[in-house]
């Protein structure tokens, strides 16, 4: 996608505004600088406390370490977080794996 085409869906900014006061972060596969640039160009970067990018940490989703790093960066246990994703294999499966570890 061309940089000029980086735009949030129309409901993203109103949603982020309603989440004001909640700690938010991004977990993404890709280069940290490019992901931050996308968020900045879309006008949403300042809503997020942390951005965890695979290019910065050396592994990518669905590796559960991505989620564990986000927890470490925020000082939060993963079971206290709500994660929203758009891909079953890379977003939901690792969260289920973390939950399954808790159940053991």
């Amino acid at each position: 996608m061309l940089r000029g085409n980086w735009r949030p869906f129309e409901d993203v900014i109103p949603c982020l505004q309603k989440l004001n006061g909640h700690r938010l972060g991004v977990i993404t596969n890709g280069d940290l600088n490019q992901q931050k640039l996308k968020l900045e160009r879309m006008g949403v970067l300042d809503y997020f406390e942390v951005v965890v990018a695979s290019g910065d940490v050396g592994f990518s989703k669905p590796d559960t370490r991505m989620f564990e790093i986000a927890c470490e960066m925020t000082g939060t246990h993963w079971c206290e977080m709500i994660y929203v994703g758009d891909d079953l294999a890379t977003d939901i499966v690792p969260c289920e794996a973390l939950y399954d570890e808790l159940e053991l």
Side-chain angles (χ1 to χ4, degrees):
M1 179 179 278
L2 299 173
R3 288 182 181 183
N5 294 331
W6 291 341
R7 293 185 188 102
F9 290 108
E10 64 183 46
D11 59 345
V12 169
I13 292 177
C15 178
L16 291 171
Q17 290 170 337
K18 286 184 179 185
L19 291 169
N20 185 35
H22 294 277
R23 299 171 70 195
L24 305 176
V26 174
I27 301 172
T28 181
N29 288 340
D31 176 74
L32 179 64
N33 292 329
Q34 183 181 33
Q35 299 303 321
K36 282 187 168 183
L37 179 62
K38 285 181 189 178
L39 296 168
E40 181 181 18
R41 294 266 171 97
M42 291 190 292
V44 299
L45 179 61
D46 291 339
Y47 288 98
F48 300 103
E49 180 179 337
V50 298
V51 177
V52 179
S54 61
D56 193 45
V57 299
F59 38 86
S60 59
K61 298 183 296 180
D63 191 317
T64 58
R65 291 178 289 178
M66 293 285 289
F67 301 88
E68 292 166 353
I69 286 173
C71 292
E72 290 172 18
M73 291 175 75
T74 60
T76 306
H77 190 274
W78 63 263
C79 67
E80 299 174 89
M81 294 187 162
I82 297 172
Y83 182 75
V84 177
D86 64 354
D87 185 273
L88 179 66
T90 59
D91 296 319
I92 307 310
V93 170
C95 292
E96 288 177 338
L98 287 170
Y99 181 78
D100 289 345
E101 289 176 20
L102 179 66
E103 293 294 307
L104 296 176

